[in-house]
Amino acid sequence: MASYKPVVIPAVPKLGEKITQDTLYWRGYKTPVQIKEFGAINKIDFSRVPPYNYAVTASSRIHIYGRYSQEPIKTFSRFKDAAYCATYRDDGKLLIAGSEEGSIRLFDISGRAPLRQFDGHTKAVHVVGFLSDKYRIFSGGDDYSSSLWDIPSASEIVSYSEHSDYVRCGCASKQNGDVFITGSYDHTVKIFDARTKSSVMTIEHGHPVESVLLFPSGGILVSAGGRYVKVWDVLKGGQLLVSLKNHHKTVTCLCLNSSGQRLLSGSLDRHVKIYSTTSYKVVHSFNYATSILSLALSPEDETIIVGMTNGVLNVKHRKPEESKEKSQKKRQPAYRTYVKGRNYMPKQEDFYVSKPGRCILRKYDKLLKGFQSSKALDAVLEPHIRLHTPEVTVAVMQELNRRGTLRSALAGRDEKQISLLLTFVTRRVIEPRFTPVLITVADIITDIYQPVVGQSALVDKQFLRLQEAIGREIDYQEELLEVLGMMDALFATLTEKRATYLEENQSNGLTKTLDQDMSI
Amino acid sequence: MVAPAALRVVRCGGSAPHGARAVFSAGARFLLCASGDFVKMYSVATEELVRLLRGHSDLVTDVQLAPHNHLQLYSSSLDGTIKLWDFTDGILIKTFTVGYKLLALYALPTSEDSMFVIIPKSGERGTFQLVSVKLTKAAGQDMEAKELSVVLERVDASPKCTAFGREGEYVASVKGINLQVYFFKRKQLNRFSLSATKRKGGNNVFTCVACHPQEDCIATGHADGKIRLWRNFDHKKEYTYSTLHWHHDKVTDLAFSVEGTSLLSGGVESVLVQWHSGSDCKRDFLPRLGSAIEYVSISSDGTFYCTSHADNRITIVNSNLRFSKTIQGLIKARDVKTGLVVDPRTKALVLNGEPGHLQFYCLQSDKQLYSLDIVQQEYIHQAGLNQSDLVKIAFSAQGKWLATVEEREETELELQLKLWFFDEETQSFKLNTRISMPHEDHITAMCFRDMDELEDESLMLVTAGRDCVFKVWVIVEDTDPEAQQSLSWSCDFVGSYHNYQATNCCFSEDGSLLAVSFEETVTVWDSSTWDLKCTFCHPPGKIRNICFGRLTCSKYLIGATDHGFLCCWNLLSCALEWSAHLNVIVLQPDPLSEHIAAVSWLLKESSLFVFKPNEPRPICIQRKFCKEKIQFAAFVPRDVPETIGSEKYLWLRRSQLFFLTDMQELLTVSTKSPEERLTLSSKQLAVEESLPVTPFSLLLGKHRHQQSQGDIGLGKVVRRHHEQDSPAVKELLHTPAHVLPSASFLCPIFINSLLISKEKKSAEQVPDEVEMESEEAEDDSDEENNVTEMKQEDTMPIESLGETTHKLSKSEEKELRKIRKTDYSWLSVF
């Protein structure tokens, strides 16, 4: 026989982005700390050893920050002009930086004056880095050349002049101490081996290359340039694996997270996108105030730091893991209770006495079962239901309406309750999923309480607010309809040409999606 | 036998079993109730229909146990007879002809030879009287019972409005606002009347009456939901009454418990209320019985209560108000909107059942298989409420998916499209997707792409709505592993045609074409690219029905317009093939053949036309077969193809055609004579055990039956044959169970023993494999055999003996084969 059927709370599809493991993970950062630097931040680099300080290159200075400090612990400011690309060595003891005047300087973290200076580039050096054997440095300059330097002797080992435009990015292989990669504005990425006289591989990116990144395994290379991020398989001779076009302005920086499972890209379009390295789909994205130039992620993803064109350093720290002690503290049943009869095996002659599962009804369901409609409505207007699960409130209102008792449930309320009801209606009536029900509710309320309008200032104010909210919504809908009409007109003109100008249509479609992206 | 039998219309789906209060047999083993022209006997333990007492020629109005023999039963009917039955054996003992329409029947233990009946008063319309009938004890089957003496005048026709008091000392009857009590011994008649004023919405009209079994106390039910307990009513003035009030609407029936300690009442709220010791505060409820209670009755030992409901159902309740059993026939919903749909899995007829439910009604056993809750809302029994209603359903080809549309119309239309997935584990449908407001207006038609071999990915659902579009819904797989379910439905395509309302939709047999009708035009769409292929119309009529031809006629599209034309378009030439002037209201293609049934409505009578799309001449015309308007029709595939003699009715061979009229009557057409149909059903009832029937008991029963037949008809030859195989049976039956090997081991031996003994007899033994071929061939040959035999019997009586032996053994063998084919896995359970 049928038992009482609880009110069905309609599940409404979640609007906006879907909540996945990734969104939960990447949302777990605190509100950002903003630090103002002197100029555009072109490089942020984390030390690979605890306490994981980081070096920020902006204008003519290099600042070293502690992980949680907001003031620089150390500053290197011996540059006449802009400094570029301050990079830690793997042991965290040495720091290298290029400069606008063409010299490369090597600093000891504890000292102030440069240990070595490497001169040889005739123009600005935008990219420098250590090879993984720790004793050599590679660099790329605006004089189209990329060079290799020896630290102990402070001399140039070899210089490659293969690029035909500025060399603006590069990285070294972690696996092989001889291999490094540079990317240039001549649209190519070149892989060099220190043991050979020329580049080993050239990859055509198609746009000025802004950033390159080699996976720790050394097999996969990621290059960013223009609006594209391209992934290449180095071991297959530079075959393009996937081309990602998720930004709508130039991508300026790339970064891997600590596990190597996610790839991050920052762009001038103010977004940081996070890709899964298995599917190369965007799993999450961050939004920033201005165009992004540089990006770094601390080990264990504890901190995410973004440097921007206006010189603001945006530092986000991960929230501390919530301890799960709370759930453990829940009182367990006494030891005896759950040990007793736990291993009992039923015998053949035993009778089973099945205990019917008790169905637990919510408070409003209990009241509805007893036909107490007014009280049921009161129950769903409790703050925790009204504020956190408005769909429950609305579902109960709908159920009352279905039972024909909504009017009597709404009637006979005092000033405070009416204003509470009206606040709820005013706030939720414009939500499309609640609109049909709440319009009925608003109708009935105005019907019932029409005679008492003017007796209470509080209620009158709420009525006015409701009117205002509905008026605004109507205007908004009208506007939307206008836009729809315009778009219809546009599409109508497009479909006429469809037969002849199919190609053109497609590009139009593209620009349309682009526009949508922009508006987001 | 092969004479062209006429097509006849047969009512099925049973009539409501609530013609009168149901009666429990002594010991509460059986429940007897009047149902149409029959009395049905159900087993209380198993809720099976055990016996059907057949004999009345009109509606049975009341059944009463014989007061002095608890194995006998009296029944009264509108045909003017009282019949006495031995219900355990199903034998009609006596028939008493009264000659008036009998509306109610009362039997009293104190008056042995007379019964009380309510009959219409001659000469006055609408007035009835309670009379006592003297039943003569003389031997003989048919009696006249013309000795009538009037007890009360002006009683109500309903059996609920008259009741006999303690030991038959008085009779109480209510009508309107009057209560009259007649004392038999003192021959005194007391009348009491209530004020007719309807203050505070009260309504004092009596609806039912019940008498306390031991005290002088009468309980009356009223139209405003009050129950009054009358005492001291042997005085005309000093009577008293107390009031019990819980029901908010009419009290429909009252019953006192055996000792009279509690009172049961029922009403339209579908709540059974038990009042203890006549006080207002102590009461128990059994709520949510499904639909309005019509009758309440109590078994003589007080262990069971039984409520008959308005929706063709009997509920048996334990005395502690625990729900026990339910006997459910076809629910006649007030308004069937879903049409008749056949569930491909169970072959059950699916239509609206209880409010918000879908009933799966098994046609063979006249039983509801189950009821699926679609709306999933608490049903409030209250007049004037707009309830959610189920309007459209569709099954996918294998019955894996079910789509339902429910709507509720108040100021605005609320629409919900739900898709249900058949869960193999729980063997029931589970809600998969709920789409609210799939269309902005009413949904007019819905269909699945009907392809057997297709996987889920290409399954498609099309809904057509009055909002001038049709929508195509497909399954999408959710790639997110976190999601609870991976499959859900979403809209794939929205099509429209010149802003006309979409009225019908239909897929071709191979699923490649979709036809959607938009008012006057039929549009044909390619179902893979959703391009509009072509349009057909037959102005000025709007399209009422469309369907594609099947099998060899798949190149035709049939449409019926409301201007009375039936058109057949050729899809290859895109031209009208033929059209006929016929006001078709129902167009139903047979899923198993090319035939299409069309029902027309002309001059207030329905006619049936069956045709193939490739020829305009109908195969079968049955004019004016029904005076009611047919609303829906459905072809239900038969389990076993039937042998149809006449070529005209060959279309009935593989499927049976059912209709639903606007009076909610379920009809079918059949070529068999009523006798044949009845014997068929009585064969099903041959196993008259109240215990559950196992295949073994069936086998044994048949075996014995044949044995006895053989004894009578054939003499020694056959008897010897039975003696041969009896040791196997004996061994199985007489060895103590604990020394027997497992039943699964014994079973083949036992069955083989039956077979081998036969093989010795018949010389021409057909190999198994050949015999396994199609059953219809067997049937045909059987039939031929039968005919030739009959001829032979006429001419050569001597030879016929051997021939018949052979015949019998052959059918026996077939029977055994069938049994051998059946599943014996149940045996291994023990």
Side-chain angles (χ1 to χ4, degrees), chain A residues 33 73 113 117 122 159 254 261 412 416 429 436 447 472 504 508:
Chain A
V33 177
I73 357 180
Q117 182 160 345
T122 53
S159 177
L254 292 171
Q261 302 289 309
K416 207 175 144 195
V429 76
D447 251 22
R472 252 198 325 259
E504 195 179 306
N508 279 338

Side-chain angles (χ1 to χ4, degrees), chain A residues 1-6 8 18 20-21 369 371 398-399 401-404 436, chain B residues 286-289 323 357 373 376-378 380 385 387 408 410 414 434 478 482:
Chain A
M1 192 189 49
S3 54
Y4 175 79
K5 291 171 198 155
V8 181
K18 226 186 246 170
T20 57
Q21 281 296 334
K369 193 181 171 188
F371 291 88
Q398 188 173 20
E399 172 70 13
N401 188 25
R402 198 175 64 79
R403 292 171 172 223
Chain B
L286 181 63
R288 284 181 280 279
L289 283 171
F323 174 81
H357 286 63
D373 185 5
Q376 295 183 325
Q377 278 172 345
E378 179 78 354
I380 309 292
L385 274 189
Q387 309 279 8
R408 178 171 170 272
E410 209 170 356
E414 283 172 34
R434 182 213 318 256
D478 203 340
E482 309 289 314

Side-chain angles (χ1 to χ4, degrees), chain B residues 223-427:
Chain B
D224 57 353
K226 286 198 181 94
I227 298 166
R228 287 194 170 87
L229 291 173
W230 301 72
R231 289 173 198 278
N232 218 11
F233 43 80
D234 44 351
H235 301 282
K236 275 202 165 167
K237 291 273 155 64
E238 290 151 21
Y239 67 90
T240 58
Y241 64 75
S242 56
T243 310
L244 307 174
H245 196 179
W246 179 86
H247 295 276
H248 73 70
D249 211 333
K250 197 170 135 184
V251 178
T252 48
D253 203 8
L254 290 168
F256 274 104
S257 67
V258 181
E259 280 83 27
T261 48
S262 61
L263 173 70
L264 295 175
S265 67
V268 291
E269 304 90 354
S270 72
V271 180
L272 183 66
V273 188
Q274 188 176 29
W275 308 81
H276 295 288
S277 58
S279 71
D280 204 356
C281 48
K282 283 178 77 180
R283 59 202 174 199
D284 291 324
F285 303 103
L286 181 63
R288 284 181 280 279
L289 283 171
S291 64
I293 295 172
E294 297 268 306
Y295 298 93
V296 179
S297 55
I298 294 178
S299 71
S300 57
D301 56 358
T303 49
F304 288 107
Y305 306 148
C306 150
T307 55
S308 310
H309 297 263
D311 66 352
N312 202 351
R313 175 188 15 198
I314 296 173
T315 309
I316 301 169
V317 179
N318 284 341
S319 57
N320 53 356
L321 283 193
R322 280 283 182 78
F323 174 81
S324 165
K325 293 268 156 39
T326 174
I327 298 163
Q328 173 80 68
L330 176 69
I331 300 175
K332 301 216 164 138
R334 275 158 302 172
D335 193 7
V336 174
K337 291 178 174 167
T338 57
L340 297 178
V341 181
V342 179
D343 175 20
R345 199 175 288 268
T346 57
K347 305 278 182 290
L349 212 56
V350 184
L351 62 161
N352 284 116
E354 289 175 60
H357 286 63
L358 209 57
Q359 60 172 328
F360 287 66
Y361 171 73
C362 179
L363 290 157
Q364 277 76 35
S365 59
D366 181 23
K367 237 169 86 175
Q368 186 186 331
L369 290 181
Y370 58 96
S371 171
L372 182 68
D373 185 5
I374 301 291
V375 174
Q376 295 183 325
Q377 278 172 345
E378 179 78 354
Y379 185 77
I380 309 292
H381 295 267
Q382 191 178 318
L385 274 189
N386 275 325
Q387 309 279 8
S388 292
D389 222 346
L390 215 58
V391 288
K392 289 277 176 290
I393 52 170
F395 282 96
S396 68
Q398 300 285 325
K400 196 175 166 193
W401 289 94
L402 164 68
T404 61
V405 177
E406 63 200 60
E407 63 179 39
R408 178 171 170 272
E409 198 165 15
E410 209 170 356
T411 46
E412 281 183 56
L413 184 71
E414 283 172 34
L415 268 182
Q416 278 201 337
L417 171 64
K418 284 179 179 169
L419 285 134
W420 305 75
F421 177 72
F422 189 82
D423 190 359
E424 295 283 350
E425 266 175 44
T426 56
Q427 288 290 308

Side-chain angles (χ1 to χ4, degrees), chain A residues 407-438:
Chain A
R407 178 171 285 269
S408 54
L410 287 170
R413 291 177 179 268
D414 61 16
E415 182 187 3
K416 207 175 144 195
Q417 285 172 315
I418 300 167
S419 96
L420 195 142
L421 260 172
L422 281 172
T423 321
F424 178 79
V425 173
T426 312
R427 192 169 155 203
R428 304 287 180 184
V429 76
I430 48 171
E431 283 184 41
R433 52 182 177 156
F434 301 144
T435 307
V437 181
L438 289 184

Side-chain angles (χ1 to χ4, degrees), chain A residues 137-178:
Chain A
I137 293 164
F138 71 90
S139 66
D142 284 358
D143 55 0
Y144 308 167
S145 70
S146 37
S147 316
L148 203 61
W149 311 81
D150 184 39
I151 298 176
S153 62
S155 61
E156 188 182 272
I157 301 169
V158 65
S159 177
Y160 304 96
S161 314
E162 295 196 7
H163 285 295
S164 54
D165 206 337
Y166 298 159
V167 180
R168 282 292 167 92
C169 55
C171 66
S173 161
K174 289 224 170 25
Q175 299 290 326
N176 190 328
D178 289 317

